[in-house]
Amino acid sequence: MHWSRSAIDESDDRFRAKFINSLSGFKSANLIGTADANGNTNLAIVSSVFHLGANPPLIGMIVRPHTVTRDTLENIQMTGSYTINHVSADIWQKAHQTSARYPKDQSEFEAVKLDEQYIEDVHAPFVSQSRLKFALKLVETQTLEVNQTVMIIGEITDVIVEPLAVQDDGFIDIELLETVAVSGLDGYHTTKRLGRLSYAKPDKDPDVIG
Amino acid sequence: MHWSRSAIDESDDRFRAKFINSLSGFKSANLIGTADANGNTNLAIVSSVFHLGANPPLIGMIVRPHTVTRDTLENIQMTGSYTINHVSADIWQKAHQTSARYPKDQSEFEAVKLDEQYIEDVHAPFVSQSRLKFALKLVETQTLEVNQTVMIIGEITDVIVEPLAVQDDGFIDIELLETVAVSGLDGYHTTKRLGRLSYAKPDKDPDVIG
């Protein structure tokens, strides 16, 4: 079935939002932990975190400035500190609930009953229940001219992960940690491994490893 | 287990690449189809495609300019046209194999035995075997100063999807299409639905829908 651009443009806003949000494929499910200068905390689920580079370790994410992630963006710009916390299968509904529009003075940690966790030298709170999480120092924010979304780039300073999940070669078994994947605006999924594949070379088929 | 930044920096390059690539969570698995001005085709798997906006429908992706995705970037800049094709469970190994460094004059379509598919007014080839795919028109490329990776932003012009997967509200059931998710550099996964959740509101818990 072929959808032309005009058919997409003619569909209603809600349909289009769900349809277009489904196209990029499976997305990461992460909770962004922040705090303002006074220590008032905020927690927001985002599905737009992406890998930018390993050396130095850099992560990007996209947020919309005038939506429920507004406080997240302001806290990051004010303090330069944020945490990214994997959503695992035991907290997926609480994680989704952070996307409700709570009043500015109410912490989503408290509202959805997830616990704050702190480490030395990191201003922002982690999610205690998350099994893989890391702290970032803001590198830059950039408003994208095409649609006024904001790209946030951060450098990883600390990683907290259950040691069992880290394999000898550095691969982290996030399926073992029951990290979930997101589809569209509101679909949540656990995963089932097909396999890891060896580094591809032109003259041979890849081997299944690990 | 706490990994400090200095512990990460002291690990060897291969370990760090696999470790850091695992942190962002599950990633999309997509094949990027392009052709140069003479119609010589190229196909490359990327896990860095992300949603940017629904209205207008915009998609971003990150590529490294001096790696195996070099031809992809050059073709997109030359022709302004590319396709994004979901990797489904029946083609995951062929899709991975496109990451081998084939000679510039060899098409990965031919090398891994995936078929080209064309529609009117789109220069770039689709992957015939892919069950959800879309064509894009280049909006801009931007070299990110932090690490010299390139962000490619494109506007969706056409979508081809199996009609059974498109639900009444616009959500596309990409699990039904057996779209795979990627973890780290080389892990592939199918998914198992937890559920869709209703739009979150402060005064109530979300309902499982769909």
Side-chain angles (χ1 to χ4, degrees), chain A residues 15 19, chain B residues 163-173 193 196 210:
Chain A
F15 182 97
F19 185 80
Chain B
L164 257 176
V166 182
Q167 299 186 354
D168 289 343
D169 66 352
F171 178 85
I172 305 176
D173 187 345
R193 178 186 325 281
R196 292 181 63 191

Side-chain angles (χ1 to χ4, degrees), chain B residues 35-36 65 69-80 104:
Chain B
D36 69 15
T69 49
R70 188 192 53 232
D71 297 341
T72 297
L73 178 59
E74 282 178 9
N75 289 345
I76 292 173
Q77 289 178 320
M78 194 189 308
T79 66
K104 195 179 167 58

Side-chain angles (χ1 to χ4, degrees), chain A residues 169 195-202 204-210, chain B residues 18 45 92-93 95-100 185-188:
Chain A
D169 67 352
R196 291 182 63 190
L197 291 178
S198 59
Y199 187 81
K201 296 182 176 176
K204 64 182 287 291
D205 288 336
D207 298 316
V208 177
I209 57 175
Chain B
K18 288 176 179 163
I45 190 167
W92 69 288
Q93 288 172 306
H96 181 81
Q97 184 61 20
T98 64
S99 63
L185 275 179
D186 52 24
Y188 294 86

Side-chain angles (χ1 to χ4, degrees), chain B residues 137-157:
Chain B
K137 196 173 61 182
L138 177 64
V139 175
E140 62 165 288
T141 60
Q142 183 189 136
T143 300
L144 301 178
E145 276 180 35
V146 283
N147 67 355
Q148 305 301 307
T149 53
V150 177
M151 178 169 60
I152 301 174
I153 297 177
E155 198 168 324
I156 296 168
T157 60

Side-chain angles (χ1 to χ4, degrees), chain B residues 19-204:
Chain B
F19 185 80
I20 300 296
N21 265 281
S22 302
L23 295 181
S24 57
F26 285 105
K27 298 184 262 201
S28 53
N30 286 295
L31 286 162
I32 312 301
T34 57
D36 69 15
N38 300 318
N40 298 309
T41 61
N42 190 283
L43 191 64
I45 190 167
V46 305
S47 62
S48 62
V49 168
F50 55 90
H51 173 83
L52 254 186
N55 188 18
L58 294 167
I59 295 280
M61 68 179 180
I62 304 289
V63 298
R64 285 166 182 69
H66 304 299
T67 64
V68 69
T69 49
R70 188 192 53 232
D71 297 341
T72 297
L73 178 59
E74 282 178 9
N75 289 345
I76 292 173
Q77 289 178 320
M78 194 189 308
T79 66
S81 172
Y82 57 115
T83 69
I84 297 183
N85 306 265
H86 278 212
V87 175
S88 50
D90 53 340
I91 60 169
W92 69 288
Q93 288 172 306
K94 290 180 176 185
H96 181 81
Q97 184 61 20
T98 64
S99 63
R101 288 178 183 267
Y102 291 104
K104 195 179 167 58
D105 60 359
Q106 180 169 19
S107 171
E108 290 81 6
F109 277 99
E110 200 174 60
V112 308
K113 300 195 169 58
L114 288 170
D115 299 320
E116 299 170 9
Q117 176 188 352
Y118 292 91
I119 63 171
E120 219 175 314
D121 298 330
V122 175
H123 180 75
F126 291 94
V127 176
S128 174
Q129 287 84 351
S130 177
R131 301 171 69 181
L132 194 178
K133 46 205 166 192
F134 46 104
L136 301 102
K137 196 173 61 182
L138 177 64
V139 175
E140 62 165 288
T141 60
Q142 183 189 136
T143 300
L144 301 178
E145 276 180 35
V146 283
N147 67 355
Q148 305 301 307
T149 53
V150 177
M151 178 169 60
I152 301 174
I153 297 177
E155 198 168 324
I156 296 168
T157 60
D158 300 84
V159 177
I160 300 174
V161 55
E162 293 185 10
L164 257 176
V166 182
Q167 299 186 354
D168 289 343
D169 66 352
F171 178 85
I172 305 176
D173 187 345
I174 65 174
E175 181 166 297
L176 180 77
L177 298 177
E178 297 188 284
T179 296
V180 303
V182 171
S183 69
L185 275 179
D186 52 24
Y188 294 86
H189 309 256
T190 54
T191 60
K192 214 182 121 199
R193 178 186 325 281
L194 287 163
R196 292 181 63 191
L197 290 178
S198 59
Y199 187 81
K201 296 181 176 175
D203 51 349
K204 64 183 286 292

